[in-house]
Structures are given as structure tokens and as C-alpha cells.
Amino acid sequence: MSLPHAILTALLEKPSSGLELTRRFDRSIGYFWSATHQQIYRELGKLESAGHIRALPTEQPARGQKKSYEVLPAGRAELARWTAAPQDPKAYRDPLFLRLRAAAVVGGAGIASDLRRHLDLHQDQLAAYEEIERRDFPPGRNTPQDRLQHLVLRAGIDLETFWTQWLTHALTEFEDLTEAPEPTEVTELAERTGLDDAGTV
């Protein structure tokens, strides 16, 4: 149910056409709730049929002209209802963690290179968020709307900071694991040197 509410939020911020909404999703909302052009247009039709939005009248209707939409009172009421309703946190699922758990039993070949790729992607995303913060939230922007929007952006910055730190730590762990001798190698070394498991002769 979140995509229609994301669209209502965006239209309350600024009446827009479907194409403009798609661009705004690509630039901002899509960072935490992505949607394709087709999904957005489909939801616009549903919201219009439900009486939550309407197409703005145009002075000179023309075939193929982009329709811009605005939120009606029923749409604002639905968004307010949804915003105030309690919701439980969503269970977090990431195949990367499952792959690491699997690597513990089948070996981690190829994992380290993919961790480096993930690290590069998260570093790039962190840099993008920090640039948005510098551009859109300079000192002095302190309205309630600015502060709440900045709060969402800070969540993105903090999450990307976590990922870059965790992935750096994970890569260090993999380097240590590849440098450590396998258990069979330790046993063979002990046998060759005449040492028992306790390190004594």
C-alpha cells in the first residue's frame, strides 16, 4: 500500500504530471521507495478513480498533452490516516547475509570480490546523499517540512555509513581468514615438528 501514499505525498508537495513524478522518484523518493514509470501511471489511474486526486484543468487541451495531478481532500485524509496508523518494523532480508552464512560451510570463494563491489556501490551512494545534503539542506533551512525531509535523508546517510564500515570490516575478516592456515595444515605442521595439540613436545 505504500506506493499510492508515496505518490500522494509527492503531489501534496507539488502537483505534477506522471513524467515529472517519475523524475522526482528517480531523484529523491526512489532512494527509499522505488517505482517504475508504468507503476506510477497505474497508481495515478487508481487514485483518480478513487477520488483521491484529479487532473488539473488546462487552458488549451491538446492531444498527447501531459496531465498534471493534484490531491483532493479525500486523498489528503487518506494520507493522514495512513501516516498516523501504527506499523511494525519490516523483517530485514538480504541475500548477502545468507551467502556469508553459506560460505561458512561451503567456502567463501568469490565472496570477497563481491564485498568489494558492494563497498564501492555504498561509498558512491553515501557520496550522493552527502551531496544532496549540502545542496538541499544548507544552514538556515529549519522549517518543520525541511527538518522532517532532512531526517529521512539522514537515515540514508547513516545507513550508508553503516554499510561502508561493516563491509570494510568484513573484507578485513576475509583477508585474515585467507591468511590463516587451514586446520589440516596446522595438524600436518605439528606432526612434522613433533608438537602435540598443546604445542608441547
Side-chain angles (χ1 to χ4, degrees):
M1 287 295 293
S2 292
L3 178 56
H5 297 100
I7 292 174
L8 288 172
T9 299
L11 290 178
L12 279 170
E13 291 173 347
K14 180 183 178 183
S16 305
S17 67
L19 180 58
E20 289 167 340
L21 277 174
T22 300
R23 290 171 177 166
R24 291 173 64 193
F25 266 71
D26 289 341
R27 292 195 307 267
S28 56
I29 294 175
Y31 284 127
F32 55 88
W33 200 270
S34 61
T36 65
H37 185 75
Q38 291 80 8
Q39 288 173 322
I40 290 172
Y41 269 87
R42 186 163 56 247
E43 290 299 335
L44 284 171
K46 292 178 182 178
L47 288 168
E48 189 173 22
S49 297
H52 289 163
I53 65 173
R54 69 166 183 170
L56 289 170
T58 57
E59 296 181 357
Q60 297 178 337
R63 183 178 178 84
Q65 184 176 13
K66 298 192 301 290
K67 291 194 296 185
S68 289
Y69 296 89
E70 68 175 358
V71 178
L72 295 171
R76 178 182 284 271
E78 167 56 23
L79 184 61
R81 180 206 64 78
W82 178 79
T83 302
Q87 293 187 7
D88 293 334
K90 298 294 183 183
Y92 186 75
R93 299 172 62 184
D94 193 316
L96 177 60
F97 293 148
L98 184 57
R99 291 168 60 206
L100 287 172
R101 184 70 177 256
V105 291
V106 299
I111 294 288
S113 62
D114 203 38
L115 289 174
R116 291 188 192 93
R117 185 177 67 86
H118 278 239
L119 178 59
D120 289 342
L121 292 171
H122 283 290
Q123 287 174 332
D124 289 345
Q125 190 63 72
L126 176 58
Y129 283 159
E130 289 174 337
E131 175 57 30
I132 292 171
E133 184 177 45
R134 285 190 292 270
R135 183 192 68 207
D136 294 346
F137 296 99
R141 287 195 61 172
N142 202 36
T143 68
Q145 182 174 346
D146 288 333
R147 291 173 67 178
L148 290 178
Q149 290 177 345
H150 193 191
L151 188 63
V152 175
L153 179 61
R154 283 302 319 176
I157 291 173
D158 291 346
L159 283 170
E160 294 302 328
T161 299
F162 158 77
W163 276 112
T164 56
Q165 292 174 345
W166 182 85
L167 285 162
T168 300
H169 174 71
L171 284 166
T172 300
E173 287 290 317
F174 264 88
E175 290 174 1
D176 290 344
L177 289 171
T178 55
E179 292 173 1
E182 294 292 333
T184 55
E185 295 174 349
V186 174
T187 303
E188 292 170 358
L189 179 61
E191 291 174 352
R192 288 197 303 269
T193 57
L195 297 176
D196 61 19
D197 291 342
T200 59
V201 178

